[in-house]
Amino acid sequence: QQPQQQQQSGGQLRGRFYRSTSMADRSSRLLENLDQLELRVEAFRDAASAMEQEKEILLEMIHNIQNSQDMRHISEGEREELNLTANRLMGRTLTVEVSVETIRNAQQQESLLHATKMIDEIVNKLLDDLEDAKTRLMSLYGACTSDVPAGPIDQKFQSVVIGCAIEDQKKIKRRLETLLRNLENSEKSITLLEHQKSSVRQSCNSKQD
């Protein structure tokens, strides 16, 4: 009886051992699958973020064409036709909805709201003082970049941005870049317009002389 009991006991131990090994293998395979899926999820989010940025860039480019100096120096009929095309392209771009939600804790949410408010306050005063707004926006942008800024850095804004989620930090920096580009284009338009006015005045004075 003892050998038989020992044989049965050994079989049970071997059975438990084999089941345990099988479970470990299965768990390892599942973990490996999840690791691979995590890489695909992150790649998926990155691709969606890239599409989100591409949409912003396309809308900005269409807007810039509509407000370019070249559009002001063509015939009214041509300008109307080009605006129709631009509006059609803008409409088609807006039909694409891409949204990548950022997971934030309460502190990160509060920091994002604070940073957004600081930018909005400057944007709302753009028309009052364009040059001052540009200087302030550049100081905010300097707080978001790792490069050595050309001008001063808004230390308060920098501490706020550091408290934001990484994805939000990238979006804040991208928004400031867009605002500064638009301001640069606006300044060029104003400069060109002033130059044209000056040329017209000089031409008029020449004719009078």
Side-chain angles (χ1 to χ4, degrees), residues 14-203:
R14 284 196 299 273
R16 282 198 297 272
F17 176 76
Y18 290 141
R19 282 197 299 273
S20 176
T21 302
S22 177
M23 288 173 61
D25 289 342
R26 190 176 296 115
S27 177
S28 179
R29 285 197 303 271
L30 291 172
L31 181 60
E32 184 178 348
N33 288 337
L34 288 174
D35 287 341
Q36 292 175 354
L37 285 171
E38 183 175 13
L39 295 175
R40 292 183 62 180
V41 167
E42 290 308 312
F44 172 65
R45 284 178 60 85
D46 289 342
S49 295
M51 290 180 64
E52 196 174 37
Q53 293 179 41
E54 178 67 7
K55 179 180 178 180
E56 294 173 4
I57 292 170
L58 287 171
L59 291 174
E60 182 184 355
M61 291 176 69
I62 296 170
H63 177 77
N64 288 340
I65 288 176
Q66 287 183 303
N67 293 277
S68 66
Q69 285 293 327
D70 289 337
M71 286 287 280
R72 300 172 188 175
H73 291 84
I74 58 177
S75 68
E76 185 175 348
E78 290 173 324
R79 183 165 56 250
E80 183 178 356
E81 184 178 350
L82 290 173
N83 272 322
L84 286 173
T85 302
N87 288 331
R88 178 176 59 81
L89 292 175
M90 186 170 289
R92 287 180 61 80
T93 305
L94 290 171
T95 60
V96 179
E97 292 292 338
V98 184
S99 178
V100 181
E101 295 296 330
T102 302
I103 300 174
R104 312 178 185 93
N105 57 35
Q107 181 181 354
Q108 290 172 334
Q109 179 69 26
E110 184 178 351
S111 295
L112 175 62
L113 292 174
H114 193 181
T116 302
K117 182 179 179 181
M118 294 177 72
I119 298 174
D120 288 343
E121 286 176 353
I122 298 176
V123 172
N124 292 334
K125 296 179 181 179
L126 274 174
L127 296 178
D128 297 335
D129 192 338
L130 187 64
E131 192 60 35
D132 179 65
K134 181 181 178 181
T135 301
R136 293 178 63 188
L137 286 173
M138 288 180 67
S139 70
L140 298 190
Y141 179 73
C144 298
T145 179
S146 57
D147 300 330
V148 179
I153 296 176
D154 191 315
Q155 300 290 343
K156 181 180 178 181
F157 184 74
Q158 188 176 55
S159 63
V160 172
V161 172
I162 290 174
C164 295
I166 298 297
E167 291 179 356
D168 287 329
Q169 292 179 18
K170 294 178 181 178
K171 289 182 179 180
I172 289 170
K173 180 181 178 182
R174 200 161 67 239
R175 184 188 177 191
L176 289 170
E177 288 174 341
T178 301
L179 287 169
L180 287 170
R181 275 200 309 272
N182 290 339
L183 279 178
E184 187 71 24
N185 291 333
S186 298
E187 287 183 333
K188 288 179 180 178
S189 297
I190 293 173
T191 302
L192 182 59
L193 184 61
E194 289 299 323
H195 176 71
Q196 290 170 346
K197 287 181 179 179
S198 177
S199 299
V200 170
R201 284 195 298 268
Q202 291 176 359
S203 176

